[in-house]
Amino acid sequence: FLINQLVRVACLQITLQPLWEGLAEHKWTETQLHQLQERLRRFDFVSDMIGPMGSERAASVGVIHRLARDSRSRPGIADLFDMGNQPTHKPKAAAFLTSLVPRGWFYFEALNYCTLLDDQMKDGFDLQKKTINGPRMDENNVRMETDLESAKGFKAVLHHKYFAKVLLPALKNATRRFAVGQVAADQAALACALERYRLANGKLPENLDALVPKFMTKLPHDVLTGEPLQYKRI
C-alpha cells in the first residue's frame, strides 16, 4: 500500500543521517563505503510506486463496490459523508434516503474516481528513464482540484464525484515524496563514491565523470529533470 512506501522513504531519510555524519568525519572504510553504495543504488522509488498506487485504486474501488452490492450497508452510507471526521448523530431520514441510492450511482463514482486518478498521474513519470515530471504533476493536481472544487456540497453527489473528492487529494503529494526519496538515495550513493575516490587519490575529483567506471558504473541523474547532477569542488 502507499503508506508502506511512504514510511520506507521516511526510514531511508532517517538512516542517511549517520551515513552523512560518518562521511563528514571520514569514518567509513573503503569496504564499508562500497557496501553502502551498492545498497543505496538498489532503490528505485519511481518504479516501486506503481504497485502502491494500484493498491490505493483497488482499495478505493473495492469500498465503493462493496457499498453498492451490500444492501445492509446502505443505511451506513450516511456515515461516509463525515469520512475523516468525528462521528455525529445521523437523523433517521438521512439514513433512509441514503438507503435508496441506486447501484448505478456507485458505479459512476468508481468510474469518475479511476478517470480522475489516471488524469492526476498522466505523463507524470517515465519508468524507463526513472524520472518524475514535477511540473506536469503540479499541473495535473491543479486541474484535478479545479474539477473537484466545482463539485461542491450536493453537486459532488449529483455529478458522481463524492468519493473522488474525499480520496484523491490525499494522493497529490505522494509522487513528489517518492522523487525526494530517490534523490536522497542517489546523492548518498554518489557521496560514498566521492569519498572512495578521495581515499584512493587523496583529494576529490574535478568532475563526476572521474568516478566512472572504477567508483561508479553509472552516474545518477536528477529525478525531477532527467539532467545530470551538478557538482562543484570547493
Side-chain angles (χ1 to χ4, degrees), residues 32-137:
Q32 291 170 335
L33 289 165
H34 187 265
Q35 291 176 344
L36 288 165
Q37 182 181 335
E38 289 301 306
R39 182 67 178 271
L40 288 163
R41 292 297 290 156
R42 295 178 195 169
F43 286 103
D44 184 1
F45 287 111
V46 180
S47 298
D48 289 347
M49 75 178 181
I50 301 303
M53 294 302 289
S55 294
E56 291 296 316
R57 179 199 300 267
S60 298
V61 172
V63 168
I64 298 171
H65 282 190
R66 187 167 66 250
L67 289 170
R69 70 173 181 263
D70 189 353
S71 60
R72 291 173 299 177
S73 296
R74 297 298 184 86
I77 294 171
D79 293 327
L80 290 176
F81 286 82
D82 276 338
M83 190 180 290
N85 300 323
Q86 292 296 322
T88 57
H89 176 69
K90 295 292 186 301
K92 292 183 178 180
F96 174 73
L97 289 174
T98 55
S99 69
L100 300 179
V101 175
R103 289 186 179 183
W105 179 80
F106 292 97
Y107 297 141
F108 273 119
E109 282 283 336
L111 173 63
N112 284 335
Y113 169 81
C114 291
T115 301
L116 287 168
L117 177 59
D118 287 341
D119 190 52
Q120 186 181 16
M121 304 297 292
K122 185 178 180 181
D123 300 327
F125 53 90
D126 189 318
L127 295 181
Q128 291 185 336
K129 295 181 180 180
K130 294 185 179 180
T131 57
I132 293 177
N133 191 329
R136 176 57 59 86
M137 292 298 297

Side-chain angles (χ1 to χ4, degrees), residues 127-194:
L127 295 181
Q128 291 185 336
K129 295 181 180 180
K130 294 185 179 180
T131 57
I132 293 177
N133 191 329
R136 176 57 59 86
M137 292 298 297
D138 290 340
E139 292 174 9
N140 292 349
N141 285 325
V142 169
R143 187 170 60 253
M144 179 201 69
E145 289 174 350
T146 302
D147 190 318
L148 295 178
E149 186 65 23
S150 63
K152 288 185 177 180
F154 197 65
K155 285 184 178 180
V157 178
L158 291 177
H159 294 284
H160 312 294
K161 294 181 180 179
Y162 172 73
F163 283 94
K165 195 174 181 69
V166 171
L167 299 170
L168 285 178
L171 304 180
K172 69 177 184 178
N173 293 321
T175 50
R176 185 171 294 277
R177 291 175 68 180
F178 284 120
V180 170
Q182 189 61 52
V183 168
D186 288 344
Q187 291 189 348
L190 185 60
C192 289
L194 287 167

